[in-house]
Every structure is written in structure tokens, then in C-alpha cells.
Amino acid sequence: MKRLDQRIYDFTNALSRLREALEKDITDDIIIDGIIQRFEFTFEQSWKVMKLYLEDQGVLDEALSPRSTIKVAFKHKIISNGDLWIEMMLDRNRTSHMYDETVAKSIVERIKKMYINEFNDLEKLLKVYE
């Protein structure tokens, strides 16, 4: 299995687990923590799969960090909302460096309302590739 194929599999699996968590009662703190953790993992898989996809398309070593990968992915129309992906990256950084219940709840709301759609769009693009 190619690295990209494995990464696509890992991303879709992580996304599936995030979707599963979002179906739960988000008033429960343990569920909120689980959603945040699954979001962090899904985000990590998403930018890494974009990086490998870009490499596979011949855009080599241009994207190294999550931020630069997002910018290059937007430039090459892999994602359609670069600003939202940057916001998602910033939220992911917030969740891993501190914990504040109010911030966590607002991030979970953004995951449900916006971020999940971005992950779903990326998954659709990658399924066409497979």
C-alpha cells in the first residue's frame, strides 16, 4: 500500500470516528473531551494527507508545516476555504495547549457547524483520487 493510500485510509477512519462522536450528547464533558481529541487527530490526519496528496501531484516539498500545507492546498484547489482551514488549525492548537471549558464548547460548536463539512469535502476529493 502506498503511503498516500495509507494516509487516506487513516484520515477517513479518523473522520468516521469524529462523526460518531458528534452524534453523542454534547452537554456531557466527557463527550466534549472525546470530540476535541478526535478533532485533533482528524485535523492532524487531514493536513498530512493533503501534504502527501500534493507530493503525489508533483507539488514537491512546497508544503512542510500545517499552515503552509493549507495554503498550498488552497492554491491548488484541494480545499475551497483556506481561511476556515487556518481557523481550524488555530483551534486545534488551542485545544492542545490549554483547556478551558468555554473555549472547548465553542470549538465543538465550530466542529459541528463548519469544520466537519470541510473534512467531508476533503474526503470526497480523496475518494475520487482512489
Side-chain angles (χ1 to χ4, degrees):
M1 184 182 272
K2 282 181 12 185
R3 278 179 58 215
L4 178 57
D5 294 333
Q6 180 63 50
R7 186 65 74 184
I8 291 171
Y9 174 81
D10 292 344
F11 166 69
T12 56
N13 194 30
L15 178 55
S16 174
R17 292 181 51 81
L18 176 60
R19 285 187 197 118
E20 178 185 62
L22 289 172
E23 292 172 7
K24 305 293 182 200
D25 175 15
I26 64 163
T27 60
D28 185 324
D29 288 346
I30 293 172
I31 300 297
I32 289 171
D33 293 350
I35 291 170
I36 294 286
Q37 189 171 28
R38 289 181 180 191
F39 163 69
E40 289 173 355
F41 190 66
T42 304
F43 180 80
E44 288 302 305
Q45 294 299 320
S46 70
W47 82 262
K48 289 175 180 175
V49 77
M50 285 190 277
K51 182 179 185 300
L52 281 177
Y53 182 85
L54 287 162
E55 288 173 7
D56 193 69
Q57 299 298 308
V59 184
L60 294 174
D61 296 327
E62 201 177 329
L64 301 171
S65 69
R67 183 181 296 271
S68 62
T69 299
I70 289 167
K71 287 180 178 179
V72 175
F74 177 70
K75 181 176 149 188
H76 290 273
K77 298 183 177 19
I78 294 165
I79 55 173
S80 61
N81 192 335
D83 291 339
L84 189 57
W85 276 87
I86 295 293
E87 182 183 335
M88 194 186 318
M89 178 197 71
L90 295 173
D91 274 347
R92 188 262 176 261
N93 292 343
R94 281 183 201 102
T95 62
S96 61
H97 296 297
M98 61 78 166
Y99 189 82
D100 175 300
E101 190 176 340
T102 308
V103 172
K105 286 180 178 175
S106 66
I107 290 173
V108 166
E109 284 302 314
R110 285 195 289 280
I111 293 167
K112 283 187 77 152
K113 287 187 172 88
M114 300 179 295
Y115 300 162
I116 194 71
N117 297 326
E118 296 300 314
F119 289 142
N120 289 338
D121 289 348
L122 178 60
E123 181 185 44
K124 282 181 204 142
L125 177 128
L126 294 170
K127 288 212 181 284
V128 170
Y129 167 82
E130 285 184 308

